[in-house]
């Protein structure tokens, strides 16, 4: 039986999603002393979302101001730019020429990755739909917004300096991407969780990786410890969650595709769990 109940779609504003009491995967990672995943934001991030997840809308909505709106400065240039913006369709994404070149390169790379089509433009695909649920073990409300959901398969878009397997694996381990994967997987009762990885350098290559069962189990243990720490902190009305965990250096070796999670990472998950248990005993909870 799932520990998460009252799972429902959440029709909310951006402010409501981020400013309420609901806990997201980033909050859990911060409770464990890590920054956790950070979304690609701003106009360029929005354009890259369209390039990978909504390619049928990319050409219609991603725009660059014409040269006459870019030249000059002062009131005249601002007036021309304002008038041009007013003529653009609703939802238009306005980019600088350099950002547009980046987004266009990503769009071309994604177009050549045929396996992405399973996540794109299908009638049963939901893109960036907000959800919320209640964790029965802590009473906390959980929030989540998968980049793409089709049936019981989750796709999560990630920008990475190294979209190749060894490089992205290091990001998965060091930035705790597997914690978010496990949380989303369990809340939504998913069958598979995939990372859709876009390189943010050079050719902007696109790769797809499935989160393994071993990593999901490791993430499950980590988010459980993180939720316990958040619940205890809120119980005592403390706004600050101590960052008790110190960063470890990343492993310098490449990780093979068939390799189990590195020993140092498993040890750190055990530290998360031990710390959460110590906090519980000290505060007389559990």
């Amino acid at each position: 039986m799932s520990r998460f109940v009252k799972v429902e779609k959440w029709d909310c504003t951006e402010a409501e999603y981020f400013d309420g009491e609901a806990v997201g995967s980033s909050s859990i990672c911060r409770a464990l002393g890590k920054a956790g995943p950070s979304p690609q934001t701003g106009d360029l991030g929005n354009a890259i979302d369209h390039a990978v997840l909504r390619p049928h809308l990319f050409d219609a909505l991603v725009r660059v101001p014409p040269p006459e709106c870019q030249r000059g400065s002062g009131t005249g240039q601002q007036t021309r730019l304002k008038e041009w913006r007013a003529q653009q369709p609703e939802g238009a994404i306005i980019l600088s020429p350099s950002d547009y070149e980046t987004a266009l390169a990503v769009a071309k790379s994604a177009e050549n990755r045929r396996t992405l089509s399973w996540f794109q433009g299908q009638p049963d695909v939901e893109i960036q739909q907000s959800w919320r649920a209640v964790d029965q073990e802590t009473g906390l409300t959980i929030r989540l917004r998968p980049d793409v959901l089709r049936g019981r398969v989750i796709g999560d878009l990630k920008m990475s300096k190294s979209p190749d397997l060894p490089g992205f694996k290091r990001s998965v381990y060091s930035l705790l991407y597997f914690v978010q994967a496990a949380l989303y997987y369990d809340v939504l009762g998913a069958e598979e969780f995939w990372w859709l990885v876009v390189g943010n350098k050079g050719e902007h290559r696109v790769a797809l990786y499935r989160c393994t069962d071993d990593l999901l189990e490791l993430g499950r243990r980590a988010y459980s410890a993180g939720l316990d720490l958040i619940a205890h902190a809120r119980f005592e009305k403390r706004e600050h969650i101590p960052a008790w965990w110190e960063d470890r250096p990343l492993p310098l070796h490449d990780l093979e595709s068939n390799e189990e999670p590195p020993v140092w990472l498993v040890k750190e998950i055990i530290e998360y769990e031990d710390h959460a248990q110590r906090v519980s005993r000290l505060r007389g909870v559990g």
Side-chain angles (χ1 to χ4, degrees), residues 117-190:
S117 62
W118 196 85
F119 290 104
Q120 298 170 331
Q122 306 299 328
D124 58 341
V125 168
E126 295 180 296
I127 296 177
Q128 295 176 339
Q129 168 66 56
S130 300
W131 294 75
R132 60 184 170 186
V134 174
D135 175 28
Q136 294 185 94
E137 297 190 15
T138 61
L140 295 172
T141 298
I142 308 299
R143 59 172 168 81
L144 58 158
R145 183 182 287 170
D147 285 326
V148 57
L149 178 66
R150 184 178 184 189
R152 297 177 67 186
V153 177
I154 299 171
D156 184 47
L157 180 61
K158 287 283 187 277
M159 299 295 294
S160 176
K161 294 180 180 178
S162 302
D164 59 290
L165 180 60
F168 184 66
K169 259 196 165 181
R170 286 193 291 271
S171 296
V172 169
Y173 294 150
S174 63
L175 298 176
L176 304 189
Y177 286 167
F178 59 94
V179 176
Q180 180 191 40
L183 182 71
Y184 281 29
Y185 185 97
D186 288 351
V187 171
L188 296 177

Side-chain angles (χ1 to χ4, degrees), residues 187-227:
V187 171
L188 296 177
E191 294 178 345
E192 292 183 356
F193 186 102
W194 288 80
W195 285 293
L196 318 179
V197 186
V198 177
N200 57 13
K201 301 288 184 181
E203 298 178 358
H204 303 288
R205 292 183 295 112
V206 176
L208 287 85
Y209 302 113
R210 185 179 66 86
C211 186
T212 64
D213 292 341
D214 287 343
L215 273 179
L216 287 171
E217 180 56 32
L218 210 58
R220 200 168 282 127
R221 291 165 58 183
Y223 80 59
S224 296
L227 288 173

